[in-house]
Amino acid sequence: MFPAIERRIDFTAGDLSQLAHLCHDCRACYQACMYTEPHEFAVDIPRVMSEARVESFEHFARPRIAGAAFRNGPLTLAVVTLVAIVVVTVVFELISSTPGLLGITRGHDSLYRTVSHVAMAVPALLLTSFGAWVAAAGFSECVRQAGASAKARLTPVILARAFVEAVTLRWLGGGGGGCFYPDPDTPSPERRIAHHLLVFGLASAFAATISAAFAEYVLGRNPPYRLLSVPVILGTVGGVAVVIACVGLLIRNRVSPPALGSAASERGDTALLVSLLIVAITGIVLLIVQKASGELRILLLVHLGAVAGLYLFAPYGKLMHAVYRFAAIVVDVRERAANP
Amino acid sequence: MRCDTLVIGGGNAALCAAISAASAGALVILLERAPAGWRGGNSKYTRNIRCAHGQDGSPDAYPESEFAKDLKDVTGEESDPALTQLVIERSRTAPLWMESYGVRWQPALRGTLSLSRTNQFFLGGGKALVNNYYAVAERLGVEILYEASAEDFRFEGTRCTEVVVRQADREDTIEPDTVIVASGGFEANIEWLTQHLGEGARNCAIRGTRYNDGTVLARLLDAGAQPCGEPDTFHGIAVDARGPMFDGGIVTRIDSVPLGIAVNRDAKRFYDEGEDLWPKRYATWGRLILGQPGQVAFSIFDDKTAGTFMTTLYRPHQAATMEELAGAVGLPPASLSHTVSEYNAAVRVGAFDPQRLDDCSTVGLTPPKSHWARAIDTPPYYAYPLRTGITFTYRGLAVDARARVKLVAGSTFENVFAAGEAVAGNILTSGYLAGFGMTIGTVFGRIAGEQAGELVRA
């Protein structure tokens, strides 16, 4: 982030947002800053950047009214997830033909006999498309507002380089000194490892869905799948990775000094981690019960409801940092190409 | 309490000395007078170190001969040519030594004084460097005492036998085999400054730590140590007058001076702003402003110059007319306008180039502006109020090539060494070369630590 700061003299709001998202919160700058407390200037760059990021989530959210509504983190999550579960449950109760919430369905095609394929796929498709639209709108707005340097074209090379820098978390390295989280005095690879584990877990779960779709549409086999099938292995490994990473991050969040973060950001972090945990844990329990007895309807509805809540919440909460940070890296790669 | 080596000070020189001594096997105690949150003295405000490097003839090289010439250009005669030569030569191995103890580098910052070839920037600046050294020192078993000040020394002949240390209300005595003094100059001691610089010293800002009050210097000079440097010499620059009286660091330095005009509080110019390249002249302005009425000055420039130099902490005053600008900073409006129009009339148009000694100068103006003279005629107009910012004082302890403190009576103390700002006056007489303070600290810190280690083993 600091080389990007040095390329500018005056800063617009778009510049600040750009720099805040370029910042990966490694906190090396706090450790190195001679103007932090007890100095009277009391500079705290990690905190300022954290607050700027939270503000930009709201600023770039589309539609804007939703961005404001979702600012409150965990409370909103709780309400949204609860509402999602209730709605899902009621709707399915009304339209379904299978009996009762506590019913267990076994055997061939038990998943879709518990909740129909259409009833799962259509909402999922709607929510995913909506989320993708919000993400794309946020991304392009971010890039557009990033300042005067945003005149050059985005080439595939720039996008590819930015993708690599984003995915490897290159800029979490503190310029070479490492990430100073959660202890501002000691560099540690914890955060990088936890983050990679989390992304891996989500990617694995996503791959599970893809492979299941393949099994269904190409191979003609409906779920439930064997324990040692590709979708189940990918999904289980993904879920376990997500649980470990989320628990790790939640625990370490408690240890980091509040001064270096911002309350709003912490709320958003916790909200996302908890919602991911709920999805992952309900999914794993669902699998265990399925293999032991069969599809437990209420459990499936809770899991689907939690997923729906996550998807509804995702375009406005912490998960969007992936989009904005990627946008910031894209802009930065483009700037560096223009100013060697 | 006893130890092999007592290091007095907690900045770069002290840490290099402590690390060198501990690496040589000595039992080291380090006394940092400040609380842990303020540790590191002036070193935490530094950013780079100047070292000789490369092969002669290579375009990227910075050979010892050029280093020596650069030093002579800004300081004139060195106090001690042999020690100057020693520091320049030993600077070559400094970066490798620093890296071996965990120091990392970063590309030279933009907006610095054209330093990328000659100076190396430590990643994260001086505070990160100091933090790294403290971690290294702890790992090597150095005992670090914070809020610990050395108050008194006891000698048997030329051998220091005891040092009295105060921590809060407690006083302890340490019996060291060797002592390394790296506790800086006396710039934070305003009373002592006024003795040599006059009452005007009270109007100067101290750019660094408020803990360098020269107590240890005074004690050793009283005990017969030979002083180095003239008592009224110091490294000082032009800083923003609105900055804090202590600990302003780098962000209050004003670099607009050579690109505009500088006036005193009577709105009169008093020196050639374009005399030479800014890296060679920036350190003369501390003394220049000290000599002006009220120890204040103002850097005046127009919109052409805005944004062409390193930004500072505070925004400059801004106005649409010169009269308004005068009002904003408290200058007599008619006088300022007169000075500016007189200057503008004397400007001869040339090819403006701030990177070299261009041909934009004034004719028939006293004092002249030899380079980078452009008419100040494009609103808005800007002004920075300036004060002298003292970085450190040059009066210190004379040392020999083994960093041993010399005695007035001849020879040296048996077991007292010194490094850092406390010995800068052995080399610097007036003026300063960017990054050289860290060179002196690292080179002499290492020498002192190694020598102390050898003495302990013997």
Side-chain angles (χ1 to χ4, degrees):
Chain A
M1 181 186 74
F2 285 91
I5 291 180
E6 283 180 58
R7 276 182 235 122
R8 296 159 164 79
I9 293 182
D10 282 309
F11 297 80
T12 64
D15 280 315
L16 286 171
S17 183
Q18 159 71 8
L19 294 168
H21 285 296
L22 204 55
C23 164
H24 282 49
D25 203 31
C26 78
R27 305 188 177 184
C29 65
Y30 191 84
Q31 189 256 8
C33 184
M34 63 289 285
Y35 295 111
T36 54
E37 286 182 340
H39 196 286
E40 66 189 74
F41 292 167
V43 172
D44 187 346
I45 294 180
R47 153 169 283 194
V48 168
M49 291 303 151
S50 176
E51 287 172 355
R53 282 192 292 272
V54 169
E55 260 185 53
S56 81
F57 285 165
E58 197 179 318
H59 175 74
F60 288 118
R62 300 283 176 276
R64 287 186 196 255
I65 193 169
F70 279 87
R71 188 158 188 189
N72 204 16
L75 185 60
T76 318
L77 162 74
V79 169
V80 166
T81 310
L82 201 62
V83 166
I85 292 175
V86 168
V87 164
V88 163
T89 311
V90 167
V91 164
F92 287 149
E93 273 309 286
L94 290 176
I95 68 172
S96 79
S97 53
T98 57
L101 284 175
L102 294 176
I104 292 193
T105 317
R106 290 184 196 78
H108 171 70
D109 207 22
S110 58
L111 184 70
Y112 293 139
R113 285 186 289 121
T114 313
V115 174
S116 81
H117 190 192
V118 168
M120 271 193 239
V122 169
L125 218 57
L126 285 174
L127 286 171
T128 313
S129 313
F130 177 67
W133 170 70
V134 175
F139 179 90
S140 66
E141 192 58 22
C142 216
V143 171
R144 195 186 67 81
Q145 283 189 25
S149 59
K151 293 286 186 266
R153 276 174 9 115
L154 284 183
T155 67
V157 170
I158 288 178
L159 285 169
R161 192 172 297 160
F163 181 75
V164 170
E165 287 184 8
V167 152
T168 57
L169 295 180
R170 175 178 174 184
W171 303 112
L172 190 58
C179 168
F180 286 80
Y181 179 92
D183 178 1
D185 294 320
T186 316
S188 156
E190 275 182 36
R191 201 176 208 191
R192 181 190 293 268
I193 291 173
H195 187 279
H196 281 319
L197 192 61
L198 184 56
V199 170
F200 164 77
L202 293 174
S204 188
F206 183 67
T209 314
I210 302 291
S211 65
F214 178 79
E216 217 178 291
Y217 297 118
V218 176
L219 302 178
R221 285 192 234 127
N222 279 2
Y225 299 116
R226 293 184 343 260
L227 196 57
L228 291 179
S229 63
V230 170
V232 175
I233 290 176
L234 284 174
T236 312
V237 165
V240 169
V242 166
V243 169
I244 295 174
C246 287
V247 168
L249 285 169
L250 279 167
I251 290 175
R252 291 316 256 164
N253 267 354
R254 299 242 158 280
V255 173
S256 80
L260 274 66
S262 67
S265 174
E266 245 119 82
R267 280 201 301 270
D269 289 359
T270 309
L272 177 65
L273 291 171
V274 167
S275 65
L276 286 171
L277 257 183
I278 292 174
V279 168
I281 289 175
T282 52
I284 290 171
V285 171
L286 196 59
L287 174 71
I288 292 172
V289 169
Q290 188 217 72
K291 291 308 170 200
S293 318
E295 302 287 356
L296 177 55
R297 190 135 180 279
I298 179 153
L299 193 54
L300 180 57
L301 290 173
V302 167
H303 178 66
L304 293 173
V307 173
L310 181 69
Y311 274 39
L312 255 180
F313 186 73
Y316 304 102
K318 177 67 190 270
L319 208 54
M320 282 300 279
H321 81 280
V323 172
Y324 298 131
R325 186 152 287 145
F326 179 59
I329 294 176
V330 165
V331 169
D332 195 63
V333 170
R334 185 171 63 181
E335 256 178 42
R336 278 184 270 140
N339 298 296
Chain B
M1 229 190 315
R2 75 150 301 279
C3 65
D4 294 337
T5 302
L6 179 67
V7 176
I8 304 176
N12 175 61
L15 289 161
C16 289
I19 289 171
S20 293
S23 297
L27 214 68
V28 182
I29 296 180
L30 183 141
L31 304 177
E32 165 58 83
R33 161 185 287 233
W38 286 109
R39 71 186 184 183
N42 281 345
S43 304
K44 53 185 183 287
Y45 298 114
T46 65
R47 301 179 306 169
N48 54 73
I49 183 173
R50 182 179 293 254
C51 297
H53 65 90
Q55 295 299 326
D56 252 341
S58 150
D60 283 329
Y62 188 50
E64 283 84 341
S65 49
E66 190 185 343
F67 194 155
K69 179 182 172 304
D70 284 343
L71 190 59
K72 209 174 200 118
D73 274 352
V74 297
T75 67
E77 283 307 309
E78 318 108 0
S79 317
D80 189 327
L83 285 184
T84 305
Q85 177 79 347
L86 174 71
V87 169
I88 291 177
E89 274 170 14
R90 288 284 302 249
S91 75
R92 195 177 265 277
T93 59
L96 214 57
W97 183 90
M98 293 165 74
E99 278 166 44
S100 76
Y101 286 108
V103 174
R104 296 166 184 267
W105 308 105
Q106 66 171 72
L109 296 164
R110 296 172 195 233
T112 55
L113 314 164
S114 324
L115 295 175
S116 53
R117 183 177 58 97
T118 56
N119 292 40
Q120 288 181 250
F121 285 70
F122 12 95
L123 177 68
K127 176 100 184 269
L129 178 87
V130 160
N131 284 345
N132 173 68
Y133 281 155
Y134 270 103
V136 169
E138 276 170 27
R139 276 203 300 276
L140 288 172
V142 172
E143 190 181 342
I144 298 168
L145 302 177
Y146 292 106
E147 297 184 78
S149 54
E151 295 293 322
D152 212 352
F153 299 79
R154 305 210 180 102
F155 297 90
E156 268 168 27
T158 63
R159 183 182 174 80
C160 175
T161 52
E162 280 177 355
V163 177
V164 177
V165 176
R166 178 147 52 86
Q167 260 188 307
D169 299 321
R170 272 187 36 219
E171 261 190 19
D172 266 314
T173 309
I174 299 184
E175 284 121 45
D177 282 352
T178 52
V179 177
I180 301 178
V181 172
S183 47
F186 63 91
E187 63 274 2
N189 190 328
I190 309 295
E191 292 307 318
W192 191 343
L193 282 178
T194 59
Q195 283 172 32
H196 302 297
L197 304 181
E199 283 300 302
R202 296 187 197 282
N203 292 328
C204 297
I206 311 304
R207 296 179 66 207
T209 179
R210 69 198 71 207
Y211 292 95
N212 283 2
D213 67 4
T215 303
V216 173
L217 271 185
R219 293 284 174 279
L220 287 177
L221 290 173
D222 285 342
Q226 186 182 325
C228 71
E230 294 306 311
D232 65 341
T233 53
F234 59 91
H235 169 30
I237 65 167
V239 297
D240 197 309
R242 297 166 288 183
M245 287 313 281
F246 290 97
D247 293 296
I250 193 65
V251 297
T252 51
R253 187 178 84 197
I254 302 294
D255 287 337
S256 61
V257 171
L259 302 169
I261 59 170
V263 301
N264 60 23
R265 72 177 177 197
D266 303 321
K268 298 268 173 290
R269 288 179 59 248
F270 52 92
Y271 198 80
D272 182 355
E273 301 90 346
E275 187 181 52
D276 204 341
L277 291 169
W278 192 232
K280 297 189 175 185
R281 280 292 169 272
Y282 82 110
T284 60
W285 280 78
R287 184 164 294 281
L288 287 170
I289 297 174
L290 180 70
Q292 291 302 306
Q295 290 71 52
V296 291
F298 301 85
S299 173
I300 312 283
F301 54 97
D302 69 359
D303 200 49
K304 293 195 293 293
T305 302
T308 60
F309 52 92
M310 184 170 83
T311 330
T312 69
L313 181 59
Y314 305 101
R315 289 200 172 275
H317 294 282
Q318 182 179 339
T321 67
M322 201 48 78
E323 284 78 17
E324 257 180 72
L325 188 68
V329 294
L331 282 169
S335 300
L336 182 63
S337 302
H338 174 77
T339 300
V340 172
S341 30
E342 195 185 42
Y343 162 80
N344 284 349
V347 168
R348 289 295 163 265
V349 177
F352 178 73
D353 185 356
Q355 299 301 323
R356 48 170 214 91
L357 298 168
D358 68 11
D359 60 353
C360 299
S361 61
T362 58
V363 173
L365 189 66
T366 305
K369 187 175 180 194
S370 308
H371 305 286
W372 315 301
R374 293 191 295 179
I376 299 177
D377 54 10
T378 318
Y381 300 108
Y382 299 91
Y384 281 111
L386 307 175
R387 215 198 269 276
T388 298
I390 299 179
T391 323
F392 62 97
T393 47
Y394 289 167
R395 174 71 151 193
L397 303 168
V399 292
D400 66 7
R402 292 199 274 161
R404 291 184 304 181
V405 177
K406 291 183 180 172
L407 289 163
V408 171
S411 186
T412 70
F413 284 99
E414 192 182 313
N415 61 346
V416 179
F417 304 82
E421 287 176 357
V423 307
N426 285 276
I427 295 159
L428 295 167
T429 50
S430 61
Y432 182 74
L433 196 57
F436 197 52
M438 292 303 275
T439 319
I440 294 176
T442 308
V443 167
F444 270 111
R446 286 179 65 195
I447 293 176
E450 287 160 13
Q451 291 296 316
E454 256 178 57
L455 206 58
V456 161
R457 272 199 301 275

